[in-house]
Amino acid sequence: MAETTRREFMLGEGSGTGSGSQNLHVGMGPAHPAMHGIIRITTELDGETIVKADVEIGYLHRAFEKDCEEGGYNNAIPYTDRLNYVSPLINNFGYCAAIEKLLGIDVTERCKYIRVIMSEISRICDHLTCIGASAMELGAFTVFLYMIKAREFLWELVEDVTGARLTISYGRVGGVKADLPDGFSAKTTKAFKETREVLDEVHRLLTGNRIFLDRMVGLGALSREETIAYAITGPLLRAVGVPYDVRRAQPYDVYDRLEFEIPTQKDGDNFARYLVRMAEMEQSMRIVEQALARIPGGAINVDAAGRPIDPAAYVDLGKQGKTEGLLLVPITLSPNLQGQQRAALERVNVHDKRVVLPSKETTYGSIEGLMNHFMLIMEGSGIRPPLGEAYAAVEGANGELGFYVVSDGTDRPYRVRCRPPCLPPMAALSRMIEGGMVADLIPTFGSVNMIGGELDR
Amino acid sequence: MDGAAVLDAIRQRADVVETHAHRGDATVVVTRDALPRVLALCRDAPALAFDMLMDLTAVDYLKYPGREDGPRFEVVYHLYSLVHNHRVRIKTRVDEDDAVVPSAVGLWPSANWFEREVWDMFGVRFSGHPNLMRLLLYEEFVGHPLRKDYPIDRRQPLIGPAQ
């Protein structure tokens, strides 16, 4: 048998090598430095061109939906932190919104403003991380460091409010855990000033940068029709020119009262997604500034006049009235409970004893408060929405984040379904990368902003 | 269109089992046989124009009060229309021993992964699906974990390279 030359071997030619050239199968992941989570992409390559790609997910599956069915309604809130772990506050509020819809309750004005403020801060953190990480993968390490620096300023705000940076568990059904701390507004102004400087700098570094443009413009594009057919929402949908944003289309909280724009682009490629995200951060800061200027302070009692109450509730209120005198005895709270004094919680929580835990003063200061606390905490008690189902959507950093909850009348959700905003774009990822070069897979995958926690649940 | 008008429009043109608007979510329950027609109608009728299949999931009603004897699974479609900015929820019920639903991949490609996930988690099959594999779990996984009779602490057999 004739000896195969090196050239023949490399090209798959010559005797004993079958016929003609063959495509090469290359697996990327599950653990790959440029994979933003654990995910596997099996590619079939013709030279450097991706002929076919297969995306395999599920490596971070931790039974979120099953776990939610096992505990009470509020027990699922820490699990929602771990969905999109870059903007966990939005998940908290999205889940709470679904349960509140199921219960038919409306949160207080101040709470709505707090939810808007914290959601927008999270959205900026998410976009900063997404752009920073994708820029780093293209060699712009400086941008990554700048963006993470800016994120740090914002995470300090988050830490001030929630007491944690990532696993914040700040939302509660019917309100939030604690009121905003003192001096929050001034700190936000300062952090935004720094963030704006960073964004300006990044604009100068990236937006006109030849290397960056070569790697982003015209790559990873998806047509408008295909984006809609794949139910892709968020920055990827706005990058093809569809101004769909849940905050505008079906406003929740107080978004209908705030002024902001929905940035869109036409091309639907990686660069358009980058521009949309950059513009959205500025809009988010605008929203937060308006919300901080308008947030109502003082004690706001939503339960006051206007609502007819049934005799049983009247008797309940009477009991509450009698203990009011006792409750004036001040109780020293631990510093850990900053923002959770009775007055603060009354501002941010729904006045509904079936839903919201009493303040610590009430729990420790009166027997009614203690009973109320136990009735919400003990197994078999707790929040009990009536039989039914509800779907509530909020605008997550990656698109529409929906929760579909079914109640069987007990204190545990019968079914919790999370509609993860980054699952549809991941389903379409192979459409985005097929026909492109291997190296372009990385920026395209970066622009999708896959978050493993949310994708695999 | 508001929810009531959407429900009217669907009711006029298709056979529906029941409708409700609990908490403002317009909901239509249809039989499995009518499902493909209703979904196609929702997508194609200009007055409805549901161009996005936002979400597709299932619910196991095995232990739901009052539903223990009825059809076990409910497959739930959440549709959204960019054109009209309205939503609807379509549901269909199937029995455990015949848990097959016609696939919606032909109408919306987003159904592809959603249906794989429902098969993975509930064991409901979708006829006509191009590649009905498990989505989140692995092929060797025994059972379907979001079924109500699957205990949360069940252990799975270890898998690994063949000995």
Side-chain angles (χ1 to χ4, degrees):
Chain A
M1 200 164 106
E3 202 179 317
T4 315
T5 65
R6 186 180 155 76
R7 184 189 143 75
E8 282 169 345
F9 178 76
M10 293 305 284
L11 291 176
E13 292 166 350
S15 56
T17 52
S19 54
S21 63
Q22 286 169 10
N23 286 343
L24 188 66
H25 290 262
V26 175
M28 293 208 177
H32 185 281
M35 296 284 150
H36 295 224
I38 7 179
I39 174 186
R40 184 157 167 245
I41 303 178
T42 325
T43 56
E44 189 183 325
L45 306 180
D46 179 9
E48 270 198 78
T49 309
I50 300 172
V51 182
K52 197 174 170 311
D54 195 23
V55 180
E56 199 182 307
I57 67 168
Y59 292 92
L60 209 57
H61 180 65
R62 51 207 190 289
F64 164 75
E65 290 172 9
K66 186 84 176 173
D67 273 339
C68 287
E69 295 170 9
E70 293 295 314
Y73 279 89
N74 265 325
N75 288 25
I77 284 172
Y79 301 140
T80 62
D81 289 350
R82 280 98 173 146
L83 288 173
N84 183 341
Y85 34 71
V86 193
S87 49
L89 283 150
I90 305 179
N91 311 327
N92 275 194
F93 302 149
Y95 172 76
C96 292
I99 311 293
E100 283 152 12
K101 187 169 174 184
L102 201 54
L103 282 159
I105 58 176
D106 196 18
V107 294
T108 65
E109 268 309 274
R110 188 171 171 87
C111 173
K112 287 180 185 173
Y113 275 97
I114 294 178
R115 285 186 179 182
V116 166
I117 293 168
M118 299 315 289
S119 298
E120 293 311 314
I121 292 178
S122 304
R123 192 182 319 281
I124 306 171
C125 294
D126 199 293
H127 288 352
L128 284 171
T129 316
C130 169
I131 294 177
S134 353
M136 177 184 68
E137 286 154 10
L138 299 181
F141 197 76
T142 320
V143 171
F144 177 69
L145 294 179
Y146 286 180
M147 291 228 154
I148 295 301
K149 181 178 78 179
R151 191 180 76 173
E152 198 57 36
F153 297 133
L154 299 172
W155 269 6
E156 272 169 21
L157 295 178
V158 172
E159 199 178 352
D160 259 8
V161 176
T162 67
R165 292 157 61 85
L166 210 73
T167 50
I168 41 90
S169 303
Y170 180 65
R172 291 287 182 280
V173 177
V176 290
K177 187 184 85 179
D179 202 355
L180 296 177
D182 296 336
F184 180 74
S185 185
K187 280 182 193 162
T188 310
T189 313
K190 189 163 163 285
F192 279 3
K193 188 170 162 284
E194 313 252 21
T195 308
R196 284 202 167 101
E197 277 169 21
V198 166
L199 290 181
D200 274 353
E201 223 160 1
V202 169
H203 255 307
R204 285 201 298 278
L205 278 170
L206 287 184
T207 312
N209 184 317
R210 172 73 202 283
I211 304 171
F212 187 70
L213 292 178
D214 279 355
R215 299 296 306 274
M216 299 293 267
V217 177
L219 296 173
L222 212 55
S223 71
R224 183 191 156 105
E225 290 68 32
E226 219 169 355
T227 309
I228 295 172
Y230 270 97
I232 296 173
T233 49
L236 271 68
L237 180 61
R238 294 191 279 274
V240 295
V242 182
Y244 172 66
D245 189 317
V246 188
R247 294 176 291 171
R248 177 62 53 80
Q250 296 175 338
Y252 52 98
D253 290 341
V254 289
Y255 282 111
D256 47 346
R257 282 177 255 164
L258 302 169
E259 276 175 30
F260 61 101
E261 282 157 30
I262 313 274
T264 53
Q265 291 286 326
K266 292 193 303 292
D267 301 334
D269 57 354
N270 291 340
F271 191 61
R273 293 167 194 159
Y274 159 79
L275 290 177
V276 166
R277 285 202 173 93
M278 287 297 270
E280 269 180 26
M281 284 192 271
E282 180 50 42
Q283 295 304 321
S284 291
M285 285 191 263
R286 243 180 98 190
I287 294 174
V288 174
E289 283 162 351
Q290 291 175 51
L292 279 173
R294 293 190 202 172
I295 185 167
I300 296 154
N301 194 336
V302 288
D303 221 12
R307 206 193 296 167
I309 42 176
D310 62 63
Y314 183 80
V315 172
D316 257 14
L317 281 176
K319 278 183 188 168
Q320 194 76 332
K322 256 195 277 179
T323 54
E324 233 23 45
L326 284 177
L327 291 172
L328 293 175
V329 181
I331 296 167
T332 316
L333 287 182
S334 136
N336 293 340
L337 295 173
Q338 190 199 0
Q340 299 185 59
Q341 301 86 351
R342 192 188 313 134
L345 286 184
E346 273 175 12
R347 283 201 292 269
V348 296
N349 282 338
V350 168
H351 294 222
D352 190 331
K353 288 200 286 180
R354 294 163 308 163
V355 175
V356 173
L357 277 182
S359 67
K360 288 288 169 276
E361 288 106 311
T362 319
T363 308
Y364 296 129
S366 75
I367 186 65
E368 286 81 6
L370 191 67
M371 285 159 67
N372 189 187
H373 180 93
F374 277 161
M375 287 310 285
L376 284 175
I377 292 290
M378 277 192 305
E379 203 178 336
S381 302
I383 304 170
R384 289 164 172 270
L387 293 181
E389 54 190 342
Y391 177 85
V394 295
E395 182 72 22
N398 278 333
E400 172 166 330
L401 171 69
F403 283 93
Y404 171 59
V405 186
V406 180
S407 164
D408 61 349
T410 64
D411 63 321
R412 294 172 178 194
Y414 188 77
R415 169 96 173 96
V416 176
R417 155 74 180 169
C418 166
R419 185 225 182 246
C422 70
L423 187 117
M426 285 307 290
L429 180 67
S430 53
R431 300 277 309 128
M432 298 181 211
I433 58 178
E434 275 168 12
M437 310 281 272
V438 188
D440 295 335
L441 189 159
I442 302 301
T444 305
F445 183 58
S447 78
V448 167
N449 191 23
M450 182 212 97
I451 307 284
E454 162 186 288
L455 180 70
D456 296 339
R457 280 152 292 140
Chain B
M1 263 202 254
D2 62 349
V6 170
L7 291 184
D8 274 343
I10 297 176
R11 225 182 282 134
Q12 277 165 15
R13 283 174 246 188
D15 280 343
V16 302
V17 179
E18 60 175 84
T19 59
H20 73 71
H22 184 66
R23 302 298 183 211
D25 289 352
T27 306
V28 184
V29 184
V30 298
T31 60
R32 180 175 59 185
D33 297 333
L35 181 76
R37 219 180 82 73
V38 172
L39 290 180
L41 170 82
C42 285
R43 192 189 68 163
D44 298 329
L48 296 170
F50 285 104
D51 41 13
M52 276 179 148
L53 172 65
M54 255 323 162
D55 191 25
L56 192 171
T57 187
V59 182
D60 178 3
Y61 279 97
L62 181 68
K63 294 180 179 168
Y64 197 83
R67 298 276 300 264
E68 294 92 342
D69 306 324
R72 181 168 172 185
F73 297 108
E74 207 163 67
V75 179
V76 186
Y77 300 74
H78 283 99
L79 308 183
Y80 175 73
S81 166
L82 279 172
V83 185
H84 302 298
N85 186 24
H86 56 209
R87 289 177 193 272
V88 73
R89 178 188 299 139
I90 311 262
K91 304 202 288 186
T92 189
R93 294 169 182 155
V94 285
D95 274 315
E96 183 182 1
D97 36 328
D98 185 24
V100 186
V101 175
S103 168
V105 176
L107 292 169
W108 297 279
S110 59
N112 190 326
W113 276 27
F114 287 143
E115 286 176 356
R116 282 177 63 187
E117 188 180 337
V118 171
W119 155 246
D120 193 354
M121 294 294 158
F122 290 92
V124 175
R125 287 191 164 277
F126 290 86
S127 56
H129 190 287
N131 176 31
L132 197 65
M133 306 257 289
R134 285 181 182 272
L135 181 72
L136 297 174
L137 302 172
Y138 46 99
E139 284 303 315
E140 294 83 354
F141 193 94
V142 182
H144 301 279
L146 278 180
R147 287 188 170 195
K148 285 287 174 183
D149 53 4
Y150 185 98
I152 194 164
D153 51 0
R154 173 176 292 169
R155 310 290 294 183
Q156 286 286 324
L158 291 174
I159 57 159
Q163 296 298 311

